[in-house]
Structures are given as C-alpha cells and as structure tokens.
Amino acid sequence: MTRVPSWAVIRDARRRQHRRLKRRALLLVALATVTTGLLTQRSAGGLQSSPPPIRVDTTRIGGYLGELQASATRVWALTCVQLCGAGDTGLDREQLVAVRASTGAVIRRLPLLNAIAFTIAGRSIWVAHFVSGEITRIDPANGRITARIDLRLRKPIAGHDREFLPASMSFADGYVWVSTARGWIAQIDARTARLVRMVRTPSEANATTTDRYGTWVAEDLDGVGLLTPGTRRLKLQAIEQAGWRAAIDAVISGGGLVWAVGSVDDTVNRSTVAILDPRRDRVLHEVHTPAIAGAVYLDGALYLGDLAHGRIYRVSSSGSLSSLKTPRINAFLASSSPDTLWAATDASPGRLLHVALARG
C-alpha cells in the first residue's frame, strides 16, 4: 500500500482546520480589531437606531460547542467532550445534546460518538465521521445507527489517497449534502441512504443550501456556485464590491431568496451579504457590515451575529439594515426557531444562548 506523503496529510489537516474555524474563531478574534467607527457604516437602506438591549438566556451544554441546528420544538447541539484537540486522529469524542426550544432546558444527551458535523433530516439525524469518511443516520431517540454510507473521493489526492474527510453537512428537499475540504460535495438520498452523485468544486470547503432551482454552494473567492438538477458542473458567479472579491463562506435559502454571506477582504474587518434572486440567478442587493460571526434566516430577514460587540444585525429582503443590542458575549450565531435566535460560545464549558425576538 502506498504511503501518503506526510506533507499531504499536514496540508489537508491545516486546510480543514482553517476552513472549519474561519467563520468562528477567526472572526471572533478579528472582532477585537474592529473600531467603534465601523459600527456607523451604512447599507444602501441605512442603519436604523436600535432599541434597548434584548434579553439573552443561557443553557450550559458543556464541552466545546461546534454546531447547532434548531427545529420548531428542539435544538440539537454537537459538543466535543473528550480529547478535543485530536480531531485529525479520530480519538476525540462528541455528544449530541437535545434542548427544548421553548425553554432552553436540556432534555436528552445521546451516547458519545466521533463526529465532525451533523444535520437534521426529518425524524433522523445524519452524522459525518471525519477520519473514516463514514456517514451514518441515527435515531434521535436513542442514538442507534439506522443506516451507513462510506464516502470515497472519485479521484485520489496524493498517491492512492481517496479519503473523503467530511467537513460539513446540510439537508434540503430529501437530500443530505456532505462537503469536504478536499473540494467535493456529495449528495445522499436521505430515504434510501444511497449516494446520488459527487461533484467537484473549485474551493477547498463548501456550504450548501437547496431550493426549487437547484443547490447553491459557497465557493470562497469564486463566489456562489449553482448546481442545477441533473448536472455535475457548478455555474459560478463572483461577488464583488469596490473591486474586491468577497470570500463567500455561507449560503442560506429563505423567503424565496438566496443569501450569500462572506468577508470583503483579507483583513476580515468587513462582511458582506449578497441577496440573490434564484429564479434569475442575479444579485438584487448587497449589504455591508462590520465583521460578523454566524448568520441565520428567520421570518423574512437574515440575522448576523456580532455578539462580542453586543450587536445582532438584521438584513431585510429589500436590503435595509438595522441592529439589535445584546449583552457582549463571545459567541457565534448558529440557528433559529420561531421567534428565537440561537448562538453558542466557543470556549469550554460550552453555553447555548437563546435570544428571544419580539413578534412583529
């Protein structure tokens, strides 16, 4: 068996770690460099005045929180609880924790497992295992595995190395999407647990969202990619502002629109949101803010986290920008449920933050 060169292993590990933390730890560190003058920046619609600070409640989850996903009644958190610095070896252990959305109370902790990412798909949870490349479907009631699929790259990276090394997951329209820092995305049928297709992408890490027009992929400096049904090639569209290419880190579907979120330049001092019309595949509005940590869609608007400075920005579908005041907490915005935004801290012990929004 051909030995994988050590430089290839180190390169893949570094790239995966960099991309995984880019929207979290790097942005949180960069927030410390943002001056108060940046908070006066305006979008095309103008930054409106904000009311007094809104309440933020806390639930102690424990470990190092990595991901959150919320539904109408439950919030699931993936937290590392053992050997958290050994993610590249597979020796680390994570736990999925269920929280009641209405109260923030912990209601279930599943058995420990090795996991890099997860996604909620109907009544099941899909989990990605980094070292093995295995994707498993588990029963959220007891954590038992109900299906498995082993992902391998279609082409080797170095020598005979075809390890997939999954980095992130998403679910939409009956399909689970798995991306890798090695530049591929895999589509899995959630019902049959079978691989539908695997598509090459130009960037080293991806985030996806799916609507009726296709699957939208965050492609870093290449902008936004669109994978239409039945094809195996992405249509790319760069997002630029004042001559700078935006590095797109996330794409989110909501309200019949696609919201592309990224940073404007290498200093990570500014963030940009491009609002796309998916039917015509064109940018309707661009909104710029100070650097943010996390973005989620809720009730017709996109919310951007700047909790380290006590701010959450709200971008409407028309491109107008307003802000909410919060207590100053080092946390990233991660998910939403009806009338509530959910955030998580990066430091241990992990805390889940629920930000209740007023109706109307």
Side-chain angles (χ1 to χ4, degrees):
M1 181 175 67
T2 303
R3 179 180 176 85
V4 178
S6 60
W7 62 263
V9 176
I10 295 172
R11 180 196 61 188
D12 288 335
R14 286 177 175 173
R15 284 179 175 176
R16 184 185 70 84
Q17 184 182 36
H18 172 73
R19 296 295 181 179
R20 185 184 179 192
L21 297 179
K22 184 176 180 181
R23 297 189 301 274
R24 296 177 184 170
L26 180 58
L27 288 179
L28 288 173
V29 171
L31 286 170
T33 67
V34 181
T35 64
T36 56
L38 284 171
L39 295 177
T40 64
Q41 289 187 2
R42 300 290 197 268
S43 70
L47 181 60
Q48 303 168 9
S49 61
S50 59
I54 56 179
R55 180 177 175 180
V56 176
D57 294 319
T58 301
T59 298
R60 292 177 66 89
I61 300 295
Y64 290 88
L65 282 176
E67 292 189 8
L68 302 179
Q69 287 202 25
S71 65
T73 60
R74 297 284 187 272
V75 181
W76 285 93
L78 180 66
T79 182
C80 182
V81 296
Q82 293 180 12
L83 298 178
C84 299
D88 293 329
T89 67
L91 298 177
D92 55 310
R93 288 295 177 266
E94 285 73 33
Q95 186 174 54
L96 281 164
V97 182
V99 172
R100 183 171 286 111
S102 59
T103 64
V106 174
I107 57 177
R108 186 175 302 139
R109 292 180 182 269
L110 297 186
L112 299 186
L113 72 167
N114 169 250
I116 186 70
F118 80 102
T119 190
I120 300 172
R123 297 182 179 180
S124 299
I125 296 178
W126 288 77
V127 177
H129 309 275
F130 176 72
V131 174
S132 67
E134 188 177 58
I135 309 300
T136 56
R137 185 179 64 199
I138 66 175
D139 185 339
N142 51 34
R144 293 178 181 173
I145 296 175
T146 60
R148 301 175 186 266
I149 182 170
D150 184 34
L151 293 182
R152 303 274 291 174
L153 296 180
R154 293 192 176 278
K155 297 180 180 179
I157 295 293
H160 298 286
D161 178 12
R162 294 177 54 215
E163 299 297 325
F164 190 85
L165 305 182
S168 63
M169 305 181 73
S170 64
F171 171 78
D173 198 28
Y175 296 102
V176 174
W177 295 86
V178 187
S179 66
T180 172
R182 293 178 146 195
W184 291 81
I185 54 174
Q187 181 185 11
I188 299 172
D189 188 317
R191 183 180 62 85
T192 63
R194 293 184 178 180
L195 179 66
V196 176
R197 57 179 167 173
M198 194 175 292
V199 180
R200 190 75 170 90
T201 70
S203 69
E204 296 170 355
N206 321 99
T208 63
T209 187
T210 300
D211 59 19
R212 59 181 294 189
Y213 300 101
T215 297
W216 303 81
V217 186
E219 286 292 343
D220 201 55
L221 289 175
D222 287 306
V224 178
L226 173 60
L227 182 65
T228 55
T231 64
R232 291 183 178 272
R233 185 180 296 273
L234 290 173
K235 177 183 177 182
L236 297 173
Q237 178 176 346
I239 306 297
E240 297 186 355
Q241 191 264 329
W244 289 92
R245 276 203 173 190
I248 301 301
D249 299 317
V251 283
I252 301 170
S253 292
L257 301 170
V258 173
W259 311 71
V261 184
S263 55
V264 178
D265 55 45
D266 290 337
T267 64
V268 202
N269 281 339
R270 293 178 296 161
S271 292
T272 188
V273 177
I275 305 174
L276 290 84
D277 177 353
R279 183 171 63 89
R280 299 179 180 178
D281 188 19
R282 66 184 183 90
V283 176
L284 300 177
H285 310 284
E286 286 192 33
V287 181
H288 309 287
T289 71
I292 56 95
V296 299
Y297 177 84
L298 177 63
D299 293 337
L302 193 73
Y303 290 85
L304 310 170
D306 185 8
L307 282 86
H309 285 104
R311 292 279 179 178
I312 293 177
Y313 297 100
R314 181 185 186 275
V315 181
S316 71
S317 58
S318 63
S320 64
L321 178 66
S322 58
S323 69
L324 304 171
K325 288 184 179 180
T326 70
R328 296 193 176 195
I329 307 169
N330 284 331
F332 59 93
L333 204 57
S335 192
S336 65
S337 59
D339 302 319
T340 305
L341 301 176
W342 298 90
T345 60
D346 275 329
S348 179
R351 291 182 297 155
L352 179 64
L353 311 175
H354 25 121
V355 183
L357 300 179
R359 289 183 178 270

